[in-house]
Structure formats: structure tokens, C-alpha cells
Amino acid sequence: MHQPVGTRVVFGCGTRRRIPDELARMGLRHVLLVGGDDPLRQVGDELAAALGNTLAARIIEVAQHVPAAAARHAVEVAVRAGVDGVVTIGGGSSTGLAKTVALETGLPVLAVPTTYAGSEMTDIWGRTESADKKTGRDPRVRPRTVVYDVELTLGMPARLTGISGLNALAHCVEAAYDSEADPVTVVLAAEGARALGAALGAAVDDGRNLAARSETLYGAWLAGTALGSARMGVHHRLCHVLGGTFGLPHAETHAVVLPFAVAFNAVAAAPALARIGGVLPGRDGVAATLWDLGRRVGAPASLAELGLGPADAIRAAEALAAHPGPNPRPVDRCGAHDLLSAALEGTRPPRAA
């Protein structure tokens, strides 16, 4: 069974200029604008001006992993301003904060992504309190409309481009090997991986490459859509532990963990990973190919580079083993420790047989 998502997608160049019309189509007259902090301040200011009297309130600063205090503040702002919807512009942190408002109030969201996070296409929310990141799924948080404007990704810094694209690839991989994923979701995951694998390097090399940016954003759209119809496995579960409990940066952590999570699942998810491997530019196996792509786009190679120490890695492994979530290969304490040790060290996974 495949349940199509109820999200309207507007994709192209200059599509941000259609946002006022899209809000009118949604019947929204008083909105909260979330995001648009540096380096998007000019874009955010332009959007605020374009909204005119439709703009009732604005929250500029956002933080990774959606701190609970920030979530409570955003809900208070929305309620006090009497808004009837939320517009978010930026990466996954902006989208995540808007989702917490939707979760508490039921307000509809229009998302304008400027990275390849993909969360704009999912019903997944997250919030961090007392070093514990809680996640869940709720149809209320899935944006009703997503406006992808390729122009907003032009000039994205090379480092952010690389790690954000690898984050999107992680969505494709986990959706592909979810045992309950339907055939449409698997196709979306494979096509998203193909597009990202083909264009990400060129987007990193030249931030103004419109064709590469378009293909990468297209891949991220499909990646988010696939994840929105699938379950999160050991990769996402571990990244949530590392981000919520240890404060590691979101996209960088996904970029580091991805090849090692794939290596962990290589045998148990062999058919699904073969489909992903068939669309990626590499022949040493998916884990090694993804590790190589990480080096190609300038992503960090190890959790140690992100500041995680050996003692913290042990704690993270214990937390992962206690609540592993669904995954092709069962996650016990020994396996969790092996996965964390490999990601902490960052050595290239061995070539597949």
C-alpha cells in the first residue's frame, strides 16, 4: 500500500515570488515567519516585505535540534499574534521549529527550504530538552505546501552543500532498506540517490552551477518524500542521540555516520543496498562509495573530528542499543559499540566482496 503525501510542491527558479499567492490559495491571512537569519537575512527580509500585511509576527533566530525553550517561545508568539499559519524559510532547523508550532496548535505550514535537509516533506518532528532529543510523527506537522526555489541554493557554501546533500542521501538509504517500505517509496529513494550522487560534487565545485543545484534539490525533494513514507533505522536513531545528547551538529553528524551505518547493515539489507549502489558513482560497495563521496565534497570523516570522545562514544552506543528502533540488522550492545567505534575512527569501510 502507498499513501501519497498531502503536500503541494512548487519547484523551479524564482518560485519564492509565488509565496503570497500560495498563502492566498491556502486561505492564510496572518502568518508567522520563521527563519531568515544570517546568511539568509536579506532573503528573509525580502520575503517579509513581500508578505506585507499578511505578516503578523516573525522569529529570525533558530537553533539546531529545536531546543524546548525555543519551541515554547515560538508557540507563545504564534498564539499571541493570532496567526492562522506559519511560513518557514531556511534549513532543517527552521522547518523543525515551525513543525513544533504546528504540533501544538494545528496551524498549517508553508515551507521554503534553502538546504537539502528534506524535513519539509516529512511528518517527523523533533525537540530537545535536558540533553534528550525526542522525535515523533504526526500528520499535523507535515507542511501543506513546499516552495523549492533553486535560486535560493545558489552560492550555498561548499561545506554546507556537501554535508546537507549527504544528509539527504541518508534519507534515501534508510527508506530503501526499510522492510515495510512500499514499491513507490523504494523507487523514490533510488531516484533521489541517483540525482544526489550525480550532481552533488558539481554543486560543491561551483555554487552557481544552476543545473547541478537543480538536480541536487530535486534529489533532496525525493529523499525527503521517501523518508516521509518510511521508518527511520539505526542511522537516524544514532544521529538523534549524538545531536540531542552530545550536541553534535546535525548535517555533519549525518554525513559522518552514513557510510558506517550502511556497512553495519550491508549483509542484512543487501538487496536494497544493491539498488542504491547501482545508481551511485562507485563500484567498491555502497559504504565505501559513500565514504569516498564524503571526501569528495569535503565532509568530516569521523565523529572525533566533530568533538566526540571515546567515553561519549560508549555512552552513545549504550543509548542506541537501549532504543534502536526498526532496522534491517538487530542492534545489540556489541553491534552498537562496533558501529560507534567505526564512526569515531572514520576509516574507509572495506571494499565489498
Side-chain angles (χ1 to χ4, degrees), residues 16-70:
R16 65 188 181 280
R17 300 179 185 90
R18 295 168 56 179
I19 292 173
D21 291 339
E22 290 298 322
L23 291 176
R25 188 179 186 277
M26 296 170 68
L28 302 182
R29 298 183 177 183
H30 304 285
V31 300
L32 166 65
L33 176 60
V34 174
D37 197 359
D38 293 334
L40 296 171
R41 183 62 66 94
Q42 181 177 346
V43 173
D45 290 346
E46 290 174 355
L47 176 55
L51 293 177
N53 293 333
T54 305
L55 180 63
R58 184 178 179 186
I59 296 174
I60 296 177
E61 294 184 357
V62 298
Q64 293 190 47
H65 308 301
V66 191

mmCIF file of all heavy atoms in Angstrom, residues 16-70:
data_model
loop_
_atom_site.group_PDB
_atom_site.id
_atom_site.type_symbol
_atom_site.label_atom_id
_atom_site.label_comp_id
_atom_site.label_asym_id
_atom_site.label_seq_id
_atom_site.Cartn_x
_atom_site.Cartn_y
_atom_site.Cartn_z
ATOM 1 N N ARG A 16 9.973 31.612 -5.170
ATOM 2 C CA ARG A 16 9.661 32.313 -3.924
ATOM 3 C C ARG A 16 8.737 33.500 -4.164
ATOM 4 O O ARG A 16 8.020 33.925 -3.246
ATOM 5 C CB ARG A 16 10.948 32.778 -3.244
ATOM 6 C CG ARG A 16 11.738 33.827 -4.022
ATOM 7 C CD ARG A 16 13.085 34.071 -3.379
ATOM 8 N NE ARG A 16 13.885 35.086 -4.068
ATOM 9 C CZ ARG A 16 14.586 34.860 -5.174
ATOM 10 N NH1 ARG A 16 14.564 33.653 -5.739
ATOM 11 N NH2 ARG A 16 15.301 35.836 -5.725
ATOM 12 N N ARG A 17 8.734 34.009 -5.377
ATOM 13 C CA ARG A 17 7.857 35.142 -5.688
ATOM 14 C C ARG A 17 6.381 34.735 -5.727
ATOM 15 O O ARG A 17 5.500 35.587 -5.748
ATOM 16 C CB ARG A 17 8.281 35.769 -7.015
ATOM 17 C CG ARG A 17 9.723 36.282 -6.989
ATOM 18 C CD ARG A 17 10.163 36.895 -8.305
ATOM 19 N NE ARG A 17 11.569 37.263 -8.262
ATOM 20 C CZ ARG A 17 12.575 36.469 -8.611
ATOM 21 N NH1 ARG A 17 12.307 35.245 -9.058
ATOM 22 N NH2 ARG A 17 13.823 36.865 -8.530
ATOM 23 N N ARG A 18 6.130 33.433 -5.725
ATOM 24 C CA ARG A 18 4.749 32.951 -5.738
ATOM 25 C C ARG A 18 4.213 32.676 -4.341
ATOM 26 O O ARG A 18 3.064 32.253 -4.180
ATOM 27 C CB ARG A 18 4.666 31.673 -6.583
ATOM 28 C CG ARG A 18 4.973 31.922 -8.059
ATOM 29 C CD ARG A 18 5.173 30.642 -8.845
ATOM 30 N NE ARG A 18 4.056 29.723 -8.755
ATOM 31 C CZ ARG A 18 4.011 28.545 -9.385
ATOM 32 N NH1 ARG A 18 5.049 28.161 -10.124
ATOM 33 N NH2 ARG A 18 2.970 27.756 -9.263
ATOM 34 N N ILE A 19 5.031 32.921 -3.320
ATOM 35 C CA ILE A 19 4.606 32.597 -1.960
ATOM 36 C C ILE A 19 3.338 33.333 -1.544
ATOM 37 O O ILE A 19 2.423 32.719 -0.976
ATOM 38 C CB ILE A 19 5.764 32.849 -0.967
ATOM 39 C CG1 ILE A 19 6.883 31.840 -1.222
ATOM 40 C CG2 ILE A 19 5.272 32.754 0.474
ATOM 41 C CD1 ILE A 19 8.145 32.100 -0.420
ATOM 42 N N PRO A 20 3.210 34.652 -1.789
ATOM 43 C CA PRO A 20 1.952 35.312 -1.416
ATOM 44 C C PRO A 20 0.732 34.661 -2.062
ATOM 45 O O PRO A 20 -0.318 34.500 -1.414
ATOM 46 C CB PRO A 20 2.149 36.757 -1.899
ATOM 47 C CG PRO A 20 3.638 36.965 -1.845
ATOM 48 C CD PRO A 20 4.218 35.645 -2.277
ATOM 49 N N ASP A 21 0.849 34.265 -3.323
ATOM 50 C CA ASP A 21 -0.269 33.600 -3.996
ATOM 51 C C ASP A 21 -0.543 32.231 -3.385
ATOM 52 O O ASP A 21 -1.710 31.822 -3.261
ATOM 53 C CB ASP A 21 0.025 33.444 -5.492
ATOM 54 C CG ASP A 21 0.037 34.771 -6.237
ATOM 55 O OD1 ASP A 21 -0.561 35.739 -5.719
ATOM 56 O OD2 ASP A 21 0.663 34.838 -7.307
ATOM 57 N N GLU A 22 0.508 31.524 -3.000
ATOM 58 C CA GLU A 22 0.317 30.211 -2.392
ATOM 59 C C GLU A 22 -0.351 30.336 -1.028
ATOM 60 O O GLU A 22 -1.179 29.500 -0.647
ATOM 61 C CB GLU A 22 1.663 29.487 -2.259
ATOM 62 C CG GLU A 22 2.265 29.048 -3.580
ATOM 63 C CD GLU A 22 1.380 28.042 -4.315
ATOM 64 O OE1 GLU A 22 0.772 27.189 -3.654
ATOM 65 O OE2 GLU A 22 1.309 28.131 -5.559
ATOM 66 N N LEU A 23 -0.007 31.373 -0.282
ATOM 67 C CA LEU A 23 -0.669 31.595 1.005
ATOM 68 C C LEU A 23 -2.142 31.919 0.801
ATOM 69 O O LEU A 23 -3.004 31.436 1.556
ATOM 70 C CB LEU A 23 0.025 32.732 1.764
ATOM 71 C CG LEU A 23 1.431 32.425 2.283
ATOM 72 C CD1 LEU A 23 2.042 33.672 2.918
ATOM 73 C CD2 LEU A 23 1.397 31.283 3.293
ATOM 74 N N ALA A 24 -2.428 32.724 -0.211
ATOM 75 C CA ALA A 24 -3.829 33.028 -0.504
ATOM 76 C C ALA A 24 -4.573 31.762 -0.903
ATOM 77 O O ALA A 24 -5.746 31.569 -0.525
ATOM 78 C CB ALA A 24 -3.904 34.075 -1.617
ATOM 79 N N ARG A 25 -3.917 30.901 -1.644
ATOM 80 C CA ARG A 25 -4.525 29.628 -2.029
ATOM 81 C C ARG A 25 -4.847 28.774 -0.810
ATOM 82 O O ARG A 25 -5.839 28.039 -0.795
ATOM 83 C CB ARG A 25 -3.573 28.873 -2.966
ATOM 84 C CG ARG A 25 -4.141 27.627 -3.602
ATOM 85 C CD ARG A 25 -3.108 26.990 -4.533
ATOM 86 N NE ARG A 25 -3.695 25.881 -5.257
ATOM 87 C CZ ARG A 25 -3.817 24.652 -4.778
ATOM 88 N NH1 ARG A 25 -3.372 24.388 -3.552
ATOM 89 N NH2 ARG A 25 -4.370 23.695 -5.489
ATOM 90 N N MET A 26 -4.015 28.882 0.226
ATOM 91 C CA MET A 26 -4.241 28.151 1.460
ATOM 92 C C MET A 26 -5.252 28.843 2.375
ATOM 93 O O MET A 26 -5.623 28.303 3.421
ATOM 94 C CB MET A 26 -2.906 27.978 2.215
ATOM 95 C CG MET A 26 -1.873 27.136 1.484
ATOM 96 S SD MET A 26 -0.217 27.205 2.272
ATOM 97 C CE MET A 26 -0.541 26.325 3.820
ATOM 98 N N GLY A 27 -5.656 30.054 1.993
ATOM 99 C CA GLY A 27 -6.609 30.794 2.805
ATOM 100 C C GLY A 27 -5.996 31.459 4.023
ATOM 101 O O GLY A 27 -6.702 31.762 4.991
ATOM 102 N N LEU A 28 -4.687 31.728 3.982
ATOM 103 C CA LEU A 28 -3.989 32.297 5.134
ATOM 104 C C LEU A 28 -3.852 33.809 4.983
ATOM 105 O O LEU A 28 -3.447 34.307 3.932
ATOM 106 C CB LEU A 28 -2.608 31.649 5.283
ATOM 107 C CG LEU A 28 -2.606 30.122 5.441
ATOM 108 C CD1 LEU A 28 -1.192 29.608 5.619
ATOM 109 C CD2 LEU A 28 -3.486 29.702 6.602
ATOM 110 N N ARG A 29 -4.144 34.530 6.084
ATOM 111 C CA ARG A 29 -4.123 35.991 6.053
ATOM 112 C C ARG A 29 -3.194 36.609 7.091
ATOM 113 O O ARG A 29 -2.836 37.784 6.967
ATOM 114 C CB ARG A 29 -5.540 36.530 6.268
ATOM 115 C CG ARG A 29 -6.524 36.098 5.180
ATOM 116 C CD ARG A 29 -7.876 36.722 5.404
ATOM 117 N NE ARG A 29 -8.820 36.382 4.341
ATOM 118 C CZ ARG A 29 -10.063 36.846 4.258
ATOM 119 N NH1 ARG A 29 -10.517 37.671 5.206
ATOM 120 N NH2 ARG A 29 -10.843 36.486 3.270
ATOM 121 N N HIS A 30 -2.841 35.859 8.111
ATOM 122 C CA HIS A 30 -1.981 36.377 9.178
ATOM 123 C C HIS A 30 -1.002 35.272 9.558
ATOM 124 O O HIS A 30 -1.386 34.329 10.243
ATOM 125 C CB HIS A 30 -2.801 36.802 10.390
ATOM 126 C CG HIS A 30 -3.869 37.797 10.087
ATOM 127 N ND1 HIS A 30 -3.619 39.129 9.839
ATOM 128 C CD2 HIS A 30 -5.212 37.640 9.965
ATOM 129 C CE1 HIS A 30 -4.743 39.759 9.588
ATOM 130 N NE2 HIS A 30 -5.730 38.882 9.656
ATOM 131 N N VAL A 31 0.250 35.401 9.123
ATOM 132 C CA VAL A 31 1.191 34.293 9.307
ATOM 133 C C VAL A 31 2.374 34.693 10.177
ATOM 134 O O VAL A 31 2.736 35.872 10.292
ATOM 135 C CB VAL A 31 1.711 33.768 7.950
ATOM 136 C CG1 VAL A 31 0.566 33.272 7.090
ATOM 137 C CG2 VAL A 31 2.526 34.833 7.221
ATOM 138 N N LEU A 32 2.975 33.676 10.771
ATOM 139 C CA LEU A 32 4.239 33.785 11.490
ATOM 140 C C LEU A 32 5.343 33.356 10.535
ATOM 141 O O LEU A 32 5.267 32.277 9.946
ATOM 142 C CB LEU A 32 4.230 32.878 12.718
ATOM 143 C CG LEU A 32 5.580 32.613 13.405
ATOM 144 C CD1 LEU A 32 6.148 33.892 14.001
ATOM 145 C CD2 LEU A 32 5.427 31.525 14.469
ATOM 146 N N LEU A 33 6.363 34.186 10.374
ATOM 147 C CA LEU A 33 7.516 33.850 9.543
ATOM 148 C C LEU A 33 8.647 33.371 10.447
ATOM 149 O O LEU A 33 9.059 34.088 11.363
ATOM 150 C CB LEU A 33 7.971 35.067 8.734
ATOM 151 C CG LEU A 33 9.232 34.905 7.872
ATOM 152 C CD1 LEU A 33 9.058 33.804 6.837
ATOM 153 C CD2 LEU A 33 9.599 36.225 7.199
ATOM 154 N N VAL A 34 9.142 32.173 10.183
ATOM 155 C CA VAL A 34 10.223 31.578 10.976
ATOM 156 C C VAL A 34 11.459 31.443 10.101
ATOM 157 O O VAL A 34 11.396 30.845 9.022
ATOM 158 C CB VAL A 34 9.815 30.188 11.518
ATOM 159 C CG1 VAL A 34 11.003 29.519 12.212
ATOM 160 C CG2 VAL A 34 8.630 30.304 12.468
ATOM 161 N N GLY A 35 12.589 31.949 10.572
ATOM 162 C CA GLY A 35 13.844 31.801 9.849
ATOM 163 C C GLY A 35 14.250 33.074 9.136
ATOM 164 O O GLY A 35 13.666 34.145 9.304
ATOM 165 N N GLY A 36 15.287 32.950 8.339
ATOM 166 C CA GLY A 36 15.812 34.106 7.628
ATOM 167 C C GLY A 36 16.927 34.794 8.385
ATOM 168 O O GLY A 36 17.189 35.989 8.189
ATOM 169 N N ASP A 37 17.616 34.052 9.261
ATOM 170 C CA ASP A 37 18.778 34.589 9.956
ATOM 171 C C ASP A 37 19.971 34.563 9.007
ATOM 172 O O ASP A 37 19.899 33.995 7.914
ATOM 173 C CB ASP A 37 19.054 33.744 11.208
ATOM 174 C CG ASP A 37 19.957 34.455 12.202
ATOM 175 O OD1 ASP A 37 20.373 35.594 11.910
ATOM 176 O OD2 ASP A 37 20.247 33.873 13.252
ATOM 177 N N ASP A 38 21.089 35.158 9.420
ATOM 178 C CA ASP A 38 22.290 35.134 8.587
ATOM 179 C C ASP A 38 22.651 33.686 8.248
ATOM 180 O O ASP A 38 22.535 32.810 9.112
ATOM 181 C CB ASP A 38 23.459 35.788 9.334
ATOM 182 C CG ASP A 38 23.230 37.284 9.545
ATOM 183 O OD1 ASP A 38 22.487 37.890 8.748
ATOM 184 O OD2 ASP A 38 23.786 37.827 10.516
ATOM 185 N N PRO A 39 23.056 33.389 6.997
ATOM 186 C CA PRO A 39 23.306 34.308 5.883
ATOM 187 C C PRO A 39 22.088 34.564 4.995
ATOM 188 O O PRO A 39 22.219 35.041 3.874
ATOM 189 C CB PRO A 39 24.391 33.568 5.094
ATOM 190 C CG PRO A 39 24.019 32.120 5.277
ATOM 191 C CD PRO A 39 23.472 32.002 6.676
ATOM 192 N N LEU A 40 20.907 34.242 5.512
ATOM 193 C CA LEU A 40 19.683 34.415 4.723
ATOM 194 C C LEU A 40 18.924 35.677 5.104
ATOM 195 O O LEU A 40 17.746 35.820 4.782
ATOM 196 C CB LEU A 40 18.760 33.205 4.912
ATOM 197 C CG LEU A 40 19.286 31.861 4.409
ATOM 198 C CD1 LEU A 40 18.363 30.741 4.864
ATOM 199 C CD2 LEU A 40 19.383 31.868 2.887
ATOM 200 N N ARG A 41 19.581 36.593 5.822
ATOM 201 C CA ARG A 41 18.875 37.767 6.321
ATOM 202 C C ARG A 41 18.237 38.584 5.191
ATOM 203 O O ARG A 41 17.083 39.002 5.302
ATOM 204 C CB ARG A 41 19.829 38.642 7.131
ATOM 205 C CG ARG A 41 19.176 39.876 7.762
ATOM 206 C CD ARG A 41 18.090 39.464 8.758
ATOM 207 N NE ARG A 41 18.666 38.769 9.882
ATOM 208 C CZ ARG A 41 19.011 39.342 11.024
ATOM 209 N NH1 ARG A 41 18.855 40.643 11.190
ATOM 210 N NH2 ARG A 41 19.504 38.619 12.014
ATOM 211 N N GLN A 42 18.972 38.806 4.109
ATOM 212 C CA GLN A 42 18.424 39.596 3.010
ATOM 213 C C GLN A 42 17.218 38.899 2.386
ATOM 214 O O GLN A 42 16.191 39.528 2.125
ATOM 215 C CB GLN A 42 19.482 39.855 1.940
ATOM 216 C CG GLN A 42 18.962 40.703 0.774
ATOM 217 C CD GLN A 42 20.039 41.020 -0.255
ATOM 218 O OE1 GLN A 42 21.224 40.838 0.000
ATOM 219 N NE2 GLN A 42 19.623 41.497 -1.407
ATOM 220 N N VAL A 43 17.343 37.594 2.165
ATOM 221 C CA VAL A 43 16.224 36.834 1.588
ATOM 222 C C VAL A 43 15.030 36.858 2.529
ATOM 223 O O VAL A 43 13.877 37.034 2.108
ATOM 224 C CB VAL A 43 16.654 35.381 1.304
ATOM 225 C CG1 VAL A 43 15.460 34.544 0.866
ATOM 226 C CG2 VAL A 43 17.736 35.351 0.238
ATOM 227 N N GLY A 44 15.285 36.684 3.827
ATOM 228 C CA GLY A 44 14.203 36.726 4.793
ATOM 229 C C GLY A 44 13.526 38.072 4.838
ATOM 230 O O GLY A 44 12.288 38.168 4.921
ATOM 231 N N ASP A 45 14.324 39.138 4.776
ATOM 232 C CA ASP A 45 13.757 40.487 4.780
ATOM 233 C C ASP A 45 12.924 40.732 3.527
ATOM 234 O O ASP A 45 11.854 41.371 3.584
ATOM 235 C CB ASP A 45 14.868 41.529 4.873
ATOM 236 C CG ASP A 45 15.545 41.541 6.240
ATOM 237 O OD1 ASP A 45 14.998 40.939 7.184
ATOM 238 O OD2 ASP A 45 16.633 42.149 6.354
ATOM 239 N N GLU A 46 13.406 40.235 2.386
ATOM 240 C CA GLU A 46 12.648 40.391 1.144
ATOM 241 C C GLU A 46 11.319 39.647 1.213
ATOM 242 O O GLU A 46 10.280 40.153 0.763
ATOM 243 C CB GLU A 46 13.477 39.891 -0.038
ATOM 244 C CG GLU A 46 14.673 40.778 -0.368
ATOM 245 C CD GLU A 46 15.554 40.179 -1.446
ATOM 246 O OE1 GLU A 46 15.276 39.029 -1.870
ATOM 247 O OE2 GLU A 46 16.525 40.837 -1.864
ATOM 248 N N LEU A 47 11.341 38.448 1.790
ATOM 249 C CA LEU A 47 10.100 37.691 1.931
ATOM 250 C C LEU A 47 9.153 38.396 2.886
ATOM 251 O O LEU A 47 7.943 38.486 2.622
ATOM 252 C CB LEU A 47 10.400 36.279 2.419
ATOM 253 C CG LEU A 47 9.183 35.387 2.695
ATOM 254 C CD1 LEU A 47 8.272 35.301 1.487
ATOM 255 C CD2 LEU A 47 9.640 33.995 3.128
ATOM 256 N N ALA A 48 9.681 38.919 3.993
ATOM 257 C CA ALA A 48 8.835 39.644 4.944
ATOM 258 C C ALA A 48 8.169 40.832 4.269
ATOM 259 O O ALA A 48 6.973 41.100 4.479
ATOM 260 C CB ALA A 48 9.669 40.099 6.142
ATOM 261 N N ALA A 49 8.939 41.543 3.441
ATOM 262 C CA ALA A 49 8.367 42.692 2.736
ATOM 263 C C ALA A 49 7.298 42.256 1.736
ATOM 264 O O ALA A 49 6.250 42.902 1.590
ATOM 265 C CB ALA A 49 9.476 43.467 2.022
ATOM 266 N N ALA A 50 7.548 41.141 1.047
ATOM 267 C CA ALA A 50 6.586 40.642 0.068
ATOM 268 C C ALA A 50 5.278 40.205 0.725
ATOM 269 O O ALA A 50 4.199 40.299 0.122
ATOM 270 C CB ALA A 50 7.190 39.479 -0.713
ATOM 271 N N LEU A 51 5.367 39.730 1.966
ATOM 272 C CA LEU A 51 4.156 39.289 2.667
ATOM 273 C C LEU A 51 3.286 40.462 3.072
ATOM 274 O O LEU A 51 2.067 40.307 3.226
ATOM 275 C CB LEU A 51 4.546 38.467 3.903
ATOM 276 C CG LEU A 51 5.223 37.127 3.633
ATOM 277 C CD1 LEU A 51 5.621 36.454 4.951
ATOM 278 C CD2 LEU A 51 4.313 36.210 2.827
ATOM 279 N N GLY A 52 3.874 41.625 3.266
ATOM 280 C CA GLY A 52 3.092 42.817 3.589
ATOM 281 C C GLY A 52 2.257 42.635 4.838
ATOM 282 O O GLY A 52 2.735 42.172 5.876
ATOM 283 N N ASN A 53 0.973 42.990 4.734
ATOM 284 C CA ASN A 53 0.074 42.902 5.882
ATOM 285 C C ASN A 53 -0.240 41.474 6.297
ATOM 286 O O ASN A 53 -0.818 41.250 7.363
ATOM 287 C CB ASN A 53 -1.225 43.650 5.582
ATOM 288 C CG ASN A 53 -1.018 45.146 5.446
ATOM 289 O OD1 ASN A 53 -0.090 45.704 6.032
ATOM 290 N ND2 ASN A 53 -1.863 45.800 4.659
ATOM 291 N N THR A 54 0.147 40.510 5.453
ATOM 292 C CA THR A 54 -0.066 39.100 5.816
ATOM 293 C C THR A 54 0.878 38.675 6.934
ATOM 294 O O THR A 54 0.588 37.732 7.669
ATOM 295 C CB THR A 54 0.139 38.201 4.583
ATOM 296 O OG1 THR A 54 -0.719 38.651 3.528
ATOM 297 C CG2 THR A 54 -0.196 36.746 4.888
ATOM 298 N N LEU A 55 2.001 39.386 7.072
ATOM 299 C CA LEU A 55 2.977 39.062 8.110
ATOM 300 C C LEU A 55 2.507 39.617 9.447
ATOM 301 O O LEU A 55 2.414 40.828 9.639
ATOM 302 C CB LEU A 55 4.349 39.640 7.747
ATOM 303 C CG LEU A 55 5.471 39.381 8.747
ATOM 304 C CD1 LEU A 55 5.754 37.899 8.874
ATOM 305 C CD2 LEU A 55 6.738 40.134 8.339
ATOM 306 N N ALA A 56 2.239 38.716 10.385
ATOM 307 C CA ALA A 56 1.770 39.125 11.709
ATOM 308 C C ALA A 56 2.863 39.065 12.757
ATOM 309 O O ALA A 56 2.813 39.789 13.760
ATOM 310 C CB ALA A 56 0.600 38.236 12.141
ATOM 311 N N ALA A 57 3.856 38.187 12.575
ATOM 312 C CA ALA A 57 4.942 38.043 13.538
ATOM 313 C C ALA A 57 6.114 37.355 12.850
ATOM 314 O O ALA A 57 5.946 36.686 11.826
ATOM 315 C CB ALA A 57 4.491 37.231 14.751
ATOM 316 N N ARG A 58 7.298 37.525 13.449
ATOM 317 C CA ARG A 58 8.496 36.938 12.842
ATOM 318 C C ARG A 58 9.458 36.468 13.919
ATOM 319 O O ARG A 58 9.674 37.160 14.922
ATOM 320 C CB ARG A 58 9.188 37.961 11.934
ATOM 321 C CG ARG A 58 10.394 37.407 11.170
ATOM 322 C CD ARG A 58 10.989 38.463 10.258
ATOM 323 N NE ARG A 58 12.148 37.936 9.545
ATOM 324 C CZ ARG A 58 12.947 38.666 8.758
ATOM 325 N NH1 ARG A 58 12.688 39.965 8.583
ATOM 326 N NH2 ARG A 58 13.985 38.121 8.143
ATOM 327 N N ILE A 59 10.013 35.285 13.733
ATOM 328 C CA ILE A 59 11.090 34.766 14.570
ATOM 329 C C ILE A 59 12.277 34.524 13.653
ATOM 330 O O ILE A 59 12.199 33.705 12.731
ATOM 331 C CB ILE A 59 10.683 33.449 15.258
ATOM 332 C CG1 ILE A 59 9.524 33.699 16.233
ATOM 333 C CG2 ILE A 59 11.876 32.836 15.988
ATOM 334 C CD1 ILE A 59 8.978 32.430 16.846
ATOM 335 N N ILE A 60 13.356 35.240 13.883
ATOM 336 C CA ILE A 60 14.502 35.170 12.977
ATOM 337 C C ILE A 60 15.485 34.090 13.401
ATOM 338 O O ILE A 60 15.912 33.262 12.592
ATOM 339 C CB ILE A 60 15.203 36.542 12.893
ATOM 340 C CG1 ILE A 60 14.261 37.577 12.267
ATOM 341 C CG2 ILE A 60 16.488 36.429 12.077
ATOM 342 C CD1 ILE A 60 14.832 38.967 12.201
ATOM 343 N N GLU A 61 15.855 34.075 14.665
ATOM 344 C CA GLU A 61 16.898 33.162 15.117
ATOM 345 C C GLU A 61 16.335 31.770 15.394
ATOM 346 O O GLU A 61 15.296 31.631 16.036
ATOM 347 C CB GLU A 61 17.563 33.709 16.384
ATOM 348 C CG GLU A 61 18.326 35.000 16.143
ATOM 349 C CD GLU A 61 19.049 35.473 17.388
ATOM 350 O OE1 GLU A 61 18.906 34.828 18.446
ATOM 351 O OE2 GLU A 61 19.760 36.491 17.300
ATOM 352 N N VAL A 62 17.028 30.758 14.890
ATOM 353 C CA VAL A 62 16.661 29.365 15.134
ATOM 354 C C VAL A 62 17.906 28.609 15.576
ATOM 355 O O VAL A 62 19.033 29.073 15.367
ATOM 356 C CB VAL A 62 16.047 28.694 13.878
ATOM 357 C CG1 VAL A 62 14.765 29.388 13.463
ATOM 358 C CG2 VAL A 62 17.052 28.697 12.724
ATOM 359 N N ALA A 63 17.706 27.454 16.192
ATOM 360 C CA ALA A 63 18.825 26.651 16.682
ATOM 361 C C ALA A 63 18.640 25.207 16.274
ATOM 362 O O ALA A 63 17.499 24.732 16.106
ATOM 363 C CB ALA A 63 18.929 26.753 18.207
ATOM 364 N N GLN A 64 19.748 24.497 16.103
ATOM 365 C CA GLN A 64 19.690 23.093 15.729
ATOM 366 C C GLN A 64 19.040 22.264 16.829
ATOM 367 O O GLN A 64 19.113 22.594 18.014
ATOM 368 C CB GLN A 64 21.090 22.559 15.445
ATOM 369 C CG GLN A 64 21.744 23.167 14.214
ATOM 370 C CD GLN A 64 23.011 22.450 13.815
ATOM 371 O OE1 GLN A 64 23.064 21.226 13.752
ATOM 372 N NE2 GLN A 64 24.056 23.210 13.533
ATOM 373 N N HIS A 65 18.400 21.188 16.421
ATOM 374 C CA HIS A 65 17.782 20.204 17.313
ATOM 375 C C HIS A 65 16.580 20.748 18.081
ATOM 376 O O HIS A 65 16.085 20.109 19.005
ATOM 377 C CB HIS A 65 18.820 19.622 18.282
ATOM 378 C CG HIS A 65 20.051 19.106 17.610
ATOM 379 N ND1 HIS A 65 20.011 18.098 16.663
ATOM 380 C CD2 HIS A 65 21.363 19.471 17.724
ATOM 381 C CE1 HIS A 65 21.244 17.860 16.235
ATOM 382 N NE2 HIS A 65 22.070 18.680 16.858
ATOM 383 N N VAL A 66 16.096 21.934 17.735
ATOM 384 C CA VAL A 66 14.878 22.539 18.296
ATOM 385 C C VAL A 66 14.863 22.464 19.829
ATOM 386 O O VAL A 66 14.181 21.618 20.422
ATOM 387 C CB VAL A 66 13.602 21.891 17.720
ATOM 388 C CG1 VAL A 66 12.370 22.728 18.127
ATOM 389 C CG2 VAL A 66 13.670 21.787 16.203
ATOM 390 N N PRO A 67 15.611 23.315 20.499
ATOM 391 C CA PRO A 67 15.543 23.340 21.966
ATOM 392 C C PRO A 67 14.113 23.578 22.448
ATOM 393 O O PRO A 67 13.372 24.370 21.853
ATOM 394 C CB PRO A 67 16.455 24.521 22.337
ATOM 395 C CG PRO A 67 17.366 24.689 21.159
ATOM 396 C CD PRO A 67 16.554 24.298 19.961
ATOM 397 N N ALA A 68 13.734 22.908 23.526
ATOM 398 C CA ALA A 68 12.356 23.004 24.018
ATOM 399 C C ALA A 68 11.976 24.433 24.363
ATOM 400 O O ALA A 68 10.829 24.849 24.136
ATOM 401 C CB ALA A 68 12.179 22.091 25.226
ATOM 402 N N ALA A 69 12.908 25.203 24.902
ATOM 403 C CA ALA A 69 12.603 26.587 25.255
ATOM 404 C C ALA A 69 12.259 27.406 24.017
ATOM 405 O O ALA A 69 11.322 28.225 24.030
ATOM 406 C CB ALA A 69 13.794 27.213 25.992
ATOM 407 N N ALA A 70 12.999 27.177 22.924
ATOM 408 C CA ALA A 70 12.711 27.877 21.678
ATOM 409 C C ALA A 70 11.352 27.459 21.117
ATOM 410 O O ALA A 70 10.608 28.288 20.572
ATOM 411 C CB ALA A 70 13.817 27.603 20.659
#
